[in-house]
Amino acid sequence: MRTRLYEAMLGVVKEIEVAHADALAKIYQAFMGALAQSPLMQRVWATAVLSQLFVLVYHQFGIPLIVLIIRAAYEPRWQYPSSGTTVEWAYLLLGALMGMGPMVLRAGPGVGSLADRLKAMVGADPA
């Protein structure tokens, strides 16, 4: 009985995973179709991508250069004020704009497939 229940639950979970993947693909395809049709969306998308790239390049190269110059010329122990979570947000936004939405939706506490979570929940051993 337990084996049949386990097989039935995995079958349902597989259907859910396939439906979820199809829905994410359709959402991404619809967005990219709208982006291809709308000059306004293209400008906004390009502005957001370029601004976040600027933030990341500035954080990787600009800040260390500023720190190097000020420490060499004025104060050897000077530290640049913290950027906080600006860089993390820049990476996330850039990833989302570049089509990583499906990956982002699969991150966090619910990471992993539904089948793996179900197995862990019922304590089933697939072997």
Side-chain angles (χ1 to χ4, degrees):
M1 177 74 166
R2 181 177 180 169
T3 303
R4 280 196 266 159
L5 177 63
Y6 179 69
E7 289 172 0
M9 289 187 337
L10 285 181
V12 170
V13 167
K14 180 181 176 185
E15 291 175 17
I16 292 170
E17 288 285 325
V18 168
H20 188 232
D22 288 343
L24 288 174
K26 287 178 184 176
I27 289 169
Y28 180 70
Q29 185 179 16
F31 174 76
M32 290 313 246
L35 184 64
Q37 298 293 323
S38 172
L40 176 62
M41 282 182 69
Q42 291 171 1
R43 286 187 202 108
V44 170
W45 183 84
T47 301
V49 167
L50 293 175
S51 69
Q52 296 314 300
L53 279 174
F54 173 78
V55 168
L56 295 175
V57 169
Y58 174 73
H59 202 271
Q60 292 293 320
F61 298 106
I63 292 175
L65 183 63
I66 291 170
V67 170
L68 180 68
I69 291 169
I70 292 179
R71 283 183 179 175
Y74 303 106
E75 177 63 43
R77 295 181 301 163
W78 184 80
Q79 291 184 350
Y80 191 85
S82 172
S83 300
T85 58
T86 302
V87 174
E88 293 172 22
W89 279 106
Y91 278 116
L92 288 172
L93 183 56
L94 191 58
L97 290 167
M98 299 306 290
M100 291 178 56
M103 288 185 209
V104 173
L105 292 174
R106 292 294 201 170
V111 71
S113 71
L114 281 174
D116 293 337
R117 287 182 278 169
L118 181 63
K119 288 176 194 175
M121 189 169 55
V122 297
D125 186 16

